[in-house]
Amino acid sequence: MDDRRRFPLARAFARSWLSAALALAFLAAALSTSVVPGDLRTSGAEESVSAIDARPNDGSGYWPDFSNTGYANTPANAGGLGLGAYPGKLTDYASGMSADKPLRLEFPDNSVISYKRFLGLKVLIYGDNLTFVGCLFEGTNPNDNLVQIYSDNNIKFLYSTFKPNSYAMPPGNDGTVSSSHSKPGTPFDKSWQLATTMKEAVAVMDHNDIWGNAGMIMVTGFPGRPSTWTNNYIHDMADTSHDVYHHDGIGPQSEGDGGPMIVDHNTLASVGNTNGLALQGSGVYDHISVTNNYVSGWGYALSIGVTNNATNITVTDNVFSAELEQLYGFLYGNIWGGSARGSTWRRNLIQARTGDDNRTYTTADHGKYLWPTGQTHTTDYTG
């Protein structure tokens, strides 16, 4: 990890530990139920294209991209809530909203908020166990939070979009690539930096479209309450020509002592200087599951701690793509726990095509297994 500053969470994690067996059983159950009703891959997609041959925005719809995430793609009954599909337009939450002033939201606990547009310098959310479906959060707040969440236990965002208000599409991304291949993306003065949980709410993030920012600081989970990231399209970080931002996708989480956490079937793709999954603390990360994702770009694409002490980490069935420029490698410090600490690294493949910007890999590496060392092999890693 470089020496760029990290942005610590606003609260310490107080936690008790489950036994490894109990937590593994819980994660297995959560993975089987957390992926949205109506998984984003359309019927027959698995037969028509394989993970290693698909890319975001290639028309296949295999990976999370513009075609299947965000408010405009909300299907009927998203999240099993009985709502109708996206009605064709959003309703402004309030008249007179402006990117120049904060917007305070207060909802009764257990509310479901659907098809609303929120515009503000900073959107402050109050209320517990809230669910946002098919919503748009947009604004301009460089070096600060666009969304600031004051919830005690749970918060959900389903099929929602988080973006700068100055752009309809990310600069440099015409909808045919996973993320812009060129810098700077959204300029600093038109960007937003973070969405942050200010209390101990655990987030469920599903089918969201997130761009023009520098990270998502969310609680990484507590025993029995995993942080869950499924089917999200996280791409096109802001101000990638400069060192003002610490570019992270999911994260940063800078203390350690995090988990359980489920990161399944997301697109994590951007030019940037740090991590697509940014678990950057020296404390123990435990029961982190990283499965079935498309990952490209960043500095080190994955960081699972800065000390080799992680436990019960699962990194399986991911496609690590050479599409975008990468500064260092796919895994920071080769740290992922190791089998001696109950961790598994299996069936992670390299995708490499002619003209890709990550020159470390060539078409000769395409379809090969990626080992934690960053090397490719014709056989899977077994350590």
Side-chain angles (χ1 to χ4, degrees):
M1 194 72 55
D2 61 25
D3 290 328
R4 295 181 178 90
R5 71 187 187 281
R6 301 188 179 98
F7 303 97
L9 297 175
R11 59 262 175 267
F13 292 137
R15 62 177 67 253
S16 59
W17 294 99
L18 293 178
S19 69
L22 178 60
L24 280 170
F26 177 82
L27 274 182
L31 273 171
S32 69
T33 59
S34 64
V35 179
V36 215
D39 182 12
L40 98 106
R41 287 165 284 188
T42 56
S43 177
E46 292 85 350
E47 288 73 35
S48 63
V49 64
S50 64
I52 192 61
D53 293 321
R55 282 190 173 175
N57 295 316
D58 66 356
S60 70
Y62 189 95
W63 296 112
D65 60 19
F66 286 127
S67 73
N68 47 43
T69 64
Y71 68 88
N73 294 300
T74 311
N77 199 33
L81 296 170
L83 299 170
Y86 173 59
K89 65 177 182 179
L90 299 174
T91 301
D92 280 354
Y93 171 73
S95 61
M97 295 187 300
S98 168
D100 297 323
K101 61 183 182 182
L103 180 66
R104 182 183 177 101
L105 313 179
E106 296 189 40
F107 297 104
D109 292 355
N110 307 307
S111 293
V112 175
I113 304 97
S114 60
Y115 304 124
K116 293 284 191 283
R117 173 179 177 256
F118 304 99
L119 171 66
L121 176 70
K122 179 180 294 189
V123 180
L124 301 104
I125 299 174
Y126 292 84
D128 197 24
N129 196 30
L130 304 177
T131 301
F132 292 87
V133 181
C135 292
L136 169 61
F137 297 85
E138 59 178 347
T140 300
N141 200 0
N143 226 31
D144 206 342
N145 296 318
L146 172 64
V147 179
Q148 203 156 287
I149 302 161
Y150 295 88
S151 298
D152 291 318
N153 295 292
N154 302 291
I155 187 83
K156 293 182 181 180
F157 296 95
L158 313 179
Y159 284 96
S160 293
T161 300
F162 301 77
K163 61 179 279 295
N165 67 297
S166 299
Y167 299 96
M169 288 282 287
N173 188 342
D174 63 359
T176 63
V177 293
S178 67
S179 187
S180 174
H181 290 217
S182 61
K183 302 175 181 181
T186 303
F188 177 77
D189 63 353
K190 296 184 182 301
S191 70
W192 57 282
Q193 186 185 18
L194 301 164
T196 303
T197 46
M198 304 301 293
K199 301 176 77 174
E200 292 189 350
V202 172
V204 170
M205 305 289 292
D206 183 80
H207 281 94
N208 299 300
D209 180 12
I210 302 166
W211 60 273
N213 64 313
M216 300 286 286
I217 299 183
M218 302 286 197
V219 168
T220 48
F222 298 99
R225 293 195 297 142
S227 170
T228 305
W229 299 73
T230 53
N231 307 310
N232 299 289
Y233 182 29
I234 299 174
H235 59 110
D236 289 286
M237 295 293 105
D239 192 40
T240 53
S241 289
H242 306 98
D243 291 337
V244 177
Y245 279 151
H246 192 233
H247 302 112
D248 298 306
I250 301 173
Q253 201 278 13
S254 301
E255 289 85 5
D257 299 327
M261 184 178 194
I262 296 166
V263 181
D264 183 68
H265 200 254
N266 302 277
T267 293
L268 304 174
S270 183
V271 174
N273 57 33
T274 323
N275 312 128
L277 175 62
L279 308 182
Q280 300 164 341
S282 58
V284 175
Y285 292 101
D286 181 68
H287 286 95
I288 307 294
S289 176
V290 184
T291 57
N292 306 300
N293 300 285
Y294 179 94
V295 187
S296 188
W298 312 97
Y300 286 101
L302 303 184
S303 176
I304 305 175
V306 297
T307 302
N308 193 12
N309 59 3
T311 54
N312 302 304
I313 308 300
T314 300
V315 183
T316 59
D317 301 295
N318 299 285
V319 170
F320 290 94
S321 176
E323 178 189 1
L324 299 172
E325 176 190 11
Q326 185 176 68
L327 297 184
Y328 312 118
F330 282 111
L331 179 64
Y332 173 75
N334 303 333
I335 297 170
W336 59 281
S339 57
R341 294 191 176 91
S343 297
T344 302
W345 182 287
R346 297 285 188 277
R347 300 180 302 279
N348 298 297
L349 301 177
I350 282 288
Q351 182 193 77
R353 297 178 181 173
T354 301
D356 281 350
D357 288 347
N358 183 350
R359 306 300 173 83
T360 301
Y361 302 94
T362 71
T363 54
D365 296 300
H366 180 76
K368 289 185 177 180
Y369 294 99
L370 178 70
W371 287 23
T373 58
Q375 298 171 319
T376 62
H377 296 265
T378 57
T379 57
D380 201 0
Y381 182 75
T382 58

